[in-house]
Amino acid sequence: MHEYLNVKKSAEISDVFWDVTEKAGLFDVIVKGLGGGRHRSVETGREFLNMSSYSYLGLDTHPRLVRAAADAVLAEGALNTSTSRMRVRFTSLLDAEEAMSELFNAEVVTVASCAAAAWAALPLVASGLFTDNEPPLMVFDRTAHFCLNAMKPSVADEAELTTVRHNDVEALEELCKTHKRVAYVADGVYSTGGQAPVKELLRLQEKYGLFLFFDEAHGVSTVGEFGRGVVLSEMGEINDQTLIITSLNKGFGASGGAVFLGPRGSQRRRTVAIRNGGPIMWSQRINTAGLGAVLASVELHRTAELTELQQRLQRNIALFDSHIETEQHGDGLPIRHVNLGDETLTVKLAEALYQEGFYTSPIFFPVIGRGKAGLRLMMRANMETADIERFCLLLAKLRAELD
Amino acid sequence: MHEYLNVKKSAEISDVFWDVTEKAGLFDVIVKGLGGGRHRSVETGREFLNMSSYSYLGLDTHPRLVRAAADAVLAEGALNTSTSRMRVRFTSLLDAEEAMSELFNAEVVTVASCAAAAWAALPLVASGLFTDNEPPLMVFDRTAHFCLNAMKPSVADEAELTTVRHNDVEALEELCKTHKRVAYVADGVYSTGGQAPVKELLRLQEKYGLFLFFDEAHGVSTVGEFGRGVVLSEMGEINDQTLIITSLNKGFGASGGAVFLGPRGSQRRRTVAIRNGGPIMWSQRINTAGLGAVLASVELHRTAELTELQQRLQRNIALFDSHIETEQHGDGLPIRHVNLGDETLTVKLAEALYQEGFYTSPIFFPVIGRGKAGLRLMMRANMETADIERFCLLLAKLRAELD
């Protein structure tokens, strides 16, 4: 018991953190969306710019995607087929998965969320069905996303499991040397900053046949040609020793999640996943609104508009980096952790920034390591230069005042 | 290892079943919806009536709900807030949860699917946070839904766990006698037919303080005043020793799932769930389309239209029962299992019915017990008398011919 989870203990630890966040008025803010990552608080009437939104390209309020979502519901006259997708599914689900498969040149199955993708895919990999029927040693990066970590008990019921320090390629290589089959579970882009050492991992894959499992929720759309993310950008194409899950709700601007099962056309992989992938079988699909947005987003990913949005995002990241020093400085990714090291200062700073019209997410242990309390910031393509500059100056000024 | 799950073994067993289903053309039928539970196969152009749809009241294609879904996306101009709901959420999410809470007189939190509801709620109950910080012995009904069973490894990492035979109140009472705190995990209405012995369970709750956890995915909307389902109908009102999860995608006609945490106004329960409920914290919310449909559906649940649809459903169930004998005969629930006992006959019968314009779901072990292969049928309010009669006559005739 409590080998992997301890909800009661986590609750005790995090309650303190949420209490102060709530007291500062930064918890459960009810809003009307104003577009462009701007919101108006219903309670206070105050307008603010969200500096911690994961819609990195601003697609969440893109008029074409929004329109496509509404149109798809009306065109199908239903949100769902009311039967398992294994039996009967709408053309729009087929179309969305084919469009995704073509865009990423991978065999793609969609699910209701990225967490459902983790639930669907991790036990499959652990079972050995993707590694010649041999359950691999499942090695988790310690800071892999919560939705991967929360699956550990299920994974451990299918295979041996161990956890290594963050990005510890050396420890992973040792395990590859001493175990016949190893699968590594990691984020492509980590939700509190940084990325997986993809090139190093590919070297281990080549040398030892390491199976790679990535959560690319923050990588897809954000970077790479056609928004392929950090993993596929470095790999070239997905291979049959790699599985990627992603959200279609973050950078992608739609709803749901997806599993990239392997190279496009892997019919066996597809069959295995559809027939045995937990929530793929018995849970909800992306509703037709989400599917409409997925299709519109795939189309947008093929145009110059995507490149332009990615470039704007890069300019905004560089602008931020030119003002504020963080550990992630210069990595070309949109997530920045302003490490303040102190819980009280963190909340005070977030509160003061909010008064000035900027919402930021204060994060604490256990979301981030002890002593690393700070602000989680995320840059977007649809931020104005003047806003970023004003924000950075304010952040520096208020930090100095409060410290 | 393999204490709860064995994906590889399940895959081996079920592959045979899915192979024959696929060969019979009953697997992954791609369709255009025609409304009223009718579909047209894109491949063959054939139109058919879905006899295995869980949209019991026909709300999945209700024009008001469909319109509300599309309108909600356009009104908000986005599918989601692109931030955890703990931090920033749209008014529509607040409105939907308040409307649900009022309708069911319970403290309701929504999630992206019923499976996500199971993931959110089961570890919370197992941790003891809902039972005075004392982790209860978690007792699962053997035939509880897959999404509950699949959570067993996580539950077992928080509390002791055992499984009892289906509806075995006697065994459960024994456990109540020998353990200080017990929680029972069951379906309100079972997806292959039948229901929980709610009255008996309430007796144990009263006598021993038994905590009850129900999946009411097939019960909510289907029966009871305002569509309260079988559990709340028999309980009167939810109490603080009961938690209910449900789908909002089945009878309810919208998207997503919900957790009824306890009596309305349980702020502590709500706080505990929002702060520690796994996917509630870090996964996707119901998108604005789904929320629009939820709000429209709640409104419909308060009108005479709901009662009328429930009555129509009851007439259709009675009509079916007057023609076809099943174990569920006369239970007033819409799920009927036509037990054929033979896999080959089951698929042949389903194939022949499909030729005549009726889609039925053939089910086999492990979806149902060994030797119980048969057709899973689900009645709906939006079925015509003539269609049900024609279907029943065909079913009897073809069954006799093929047997």
Side-chain angles (χ1 to χ4, degrees), chain A residues 17-293:
Chain A
F17 151 45
W18 289 118
D19 280 346
V20 289
T21 310
E22 194 160 358
K23 238 176 248 164
L26 300 163
F27 188 82
D28 199 16
V29 185
I30 312 292
V31 302
K32 165 81 190 123
L34 304 172
R38 288 186 186 277
H39 299 295
R40 184 172 52 240
S41 160
V42 170
E43 201 197 349
T44 64
R46 185 189 298 153
E47 292 187 11
F48 63 89
L49 185 62
N50 191 348
M51 301 304 288
S52 300
S53 150
Y54 49 61
S55 186
Y56 303 114
L57 301 180
L59 297 185
D60 59 348
T61 53
H62 192 292
R64 261 202 331 273
L65 271 63
V66 171
R67 186 76 246 178
D71 287 349
V73 177
L74 297 174
E76 198 55 85
L79 285 168
N80 252 312
T81 48
S82 300
T83 306
S84 162
R85 66 159 286 165
M86 302 175 79
R87 302 187 186 275
V88 179
R89 62 175 164 143
F90 284 140
T91 323
S92 49
L93 181 51
L94 176 76
D95 292 346
E97 292 186 349
E98 286 194 347
M100 289 286 299
S101 297
E102 205 184 324
L103 179 66
F104 292 99
N105 201 22
E107 195 61 31
V108 177
V109 175
T110 61
V111 278
S113 70
C114 187
W119 188 350
L122 272 172
L124 284 178
V125 171
S127 76
L129 283 172
F130 282 13
T131 47
D132 310 315
N133 283 326
E134 202 159 343
L137 169 70
M138 299 290 290
V139 184
F140 281 69
D141 184 290
R142 184 183 284 165
T143 54
H145 190 260
F146 284 102
C147 77
L148 303 175
N149 267 318
M151 286 300 300
K152 278 183 178 177
S154 297
V155 167
D157 203 32
E158 295 284 350
E160 265 191 280
L161 187 160
T162 190
T163 303
V164 293
R165 284 185 309 179
H166 181 47
N167 283 346
D168 190 345
V169 176
E170 211 173 302
L172 182 60
E173 181 155 17
E174 276 312 304
L175 292 166
C176 287
K177 283 180 185 163
T178 51
H179 291 75
K180 197 174 160 202
R181 298 297 314 226
V182 178
Y184 180 58
V185 181
D187 293 1
V189 174
Y190 284 84
S191 60
T192 53
Q195 69 164 81
V198 181
K199 280 213 159 43
E200 282 292 281
L201 295 170
L202 289 173
R203 182 181 64 77
L204 299 190
Q205 180 168 77
E206 185 136 324
K207 194 163 175 189
Y208 305 98
L210 174 67
F211 192 96
L212 294 169
F213 184 114
F214 291 109
D215 179 347
E216 265 282 67
H218 296 275
V220 162
S221 304
T222 312
V223 294
E225 198 185 4
F226 307 123
R228 293 161 67 74
V230 300
V231 175
L232 288 182
S233 290
E234 298 208 27
M235 285 187 78
E237 299 296 342
I238 196 168
N239 59 43
D240 65 359
Q241 292 302 302
T242 305
L243 185 147
I244 295 170
I245 64 168
T246 191
S247 172
L248 300 177
N249 175 234
K250 298 196 195 303
F252 208 76
S255 285
V259 186
F260 299 1
L261 296 161
R264 195 170 171 212
S266 311
Q267 188 54 49
R268 201 194 71 84
R269 285 265 163 105
R270 188 174 189 83
T271 301
V272 164
I274 299 278
R275 292 183 180 183
N276 307 286
I280 298 178
M281 306 156 69
W282 32 254
S283 193
Q284 291 175 44
R285 282 75 59 212
I286 302 173
N287 64 22
T288 47
L291 294 173

Side-chain angles (χ1 to χ4, degrees), chain A residues 370-390:
Chain A
R370 285 187 198 272
K372 291 185 109 182
L375 300 178
R376 181 190 183 203
L377 306 176
M378 285 123 118
M379 295 298 112
R380 293 195 313 280
N382 61 346
M383 285 172 162
E384 302 300 323
T385 303
D387 284 328
I388 297 173
E389 285 182 337
R390 188 170 155 254

